[in-house]
Amino acid sequence: MGEIAEFTKKILKFRDDRNWKKFHNGKDLALCLGAEAGELLEVFLWKKDTEIDKQALQDELADVMYCALLLAYTYKLNVKDIMDAKMKKNELKYPASKAKNSSKKYNKL
Ligand SMILES: [Mg+2]
C-alpha cells in the first residue's frame, strides 16, 4: 500500500470512529478544503517569511490535505492518477522552453 492510500485509510478510520461520514458529502468537503486553505493563508497574513509559525503551517497544510484526500476518496479518484494526469497537462501548458524563469500564466507565455 502506498503512502497516499495509507493516509487515506487513517483519515477514514478517524472519520468513521467519530461517525462523521454523514457530514462528508462532496460539497461540504470542497467547502472544508476552501476553509482550511483560508486558515493556511492566515499563517502568512501580515507576516514576513521569517515570522511564519512553522507548526501552524504544518497543521493547516495537513488540514488542507485531509480535506483533499477525503474529497478524492468520495469521488473515487486515485490521487496519484489525477496528479499524473494534471502534471501532463501542466507540461503542455508550461513547456520549459517557454516557461523557464517566467512567472507568467500559460496564456501569456
Ligand atoms: Mg485548520
Side-chain angles (χ1 to χ4, degrees):
M1 185 183 293
E3 278 190 5
I4 295 168
E6 281 181 39
F7 281 119
T8 301
K9 193 175 169 187
K10 276 187 193 175
I11 288 168
L12 290 172
K13 182 179 180 341
F14 177 87
R15 175 188 79 176
D16 293 341
D17 285 350
R18 287 153 185 80
N19 202 26
W20 286 352
K21 185 177 181 182
K22 58 191 165 192
F23 304 121
H24 288 174
N25 60 71
K27 174 194 61 93
D28 286 313
L29 288 169
L31 290 172
C32 170
L33 182 56
E36 293 300 344
E39 291 180 14
L40 177 64
L41 294 178
E42 277 189 77
V43 172
F44 293 93
L45 185 63
W46 314 125
K47 295 186 181 86
K48 295 175 187 161
D49 200 48
T50 53
E51 299 170 326
I52 300 304
D53 178 341
K54 289 271 174 65
Q55 185 59 58
L57 171 60
Q58 288 177 41
D59 288 348
E60 298 309 338
L61 192 54
D63 285 346
V64 167
M65 290 189 277
Y66 170 90
C67 297
L69 289 175
L70 278 174
L71 191 57
Y73 177 82
T74 299
Y75 287 99
K76 300 180 181 6
L77 302 173
N78 179 292
V79 174
K80 183 185 177 305
D81 290 348
I82 64 175
M83 289 301 299
D84 283 344
K86 184 59 177 164
M87 288 310 295
K88 279 183 188 164
K89 288 181 184 176
N90 288 345
E91 287 284 345
L92 296 173
K93 281 165 85 174
Y94 294 97
S97 60
K98 287 185 180 175
K100 195 167 197 169
N101 295 316
S102 174
S103 59
K104 291 179 183 170
K105 193 169 178 174
Y106 65 92
N107 60 352
K108 302 284 184 192
L109 289 172

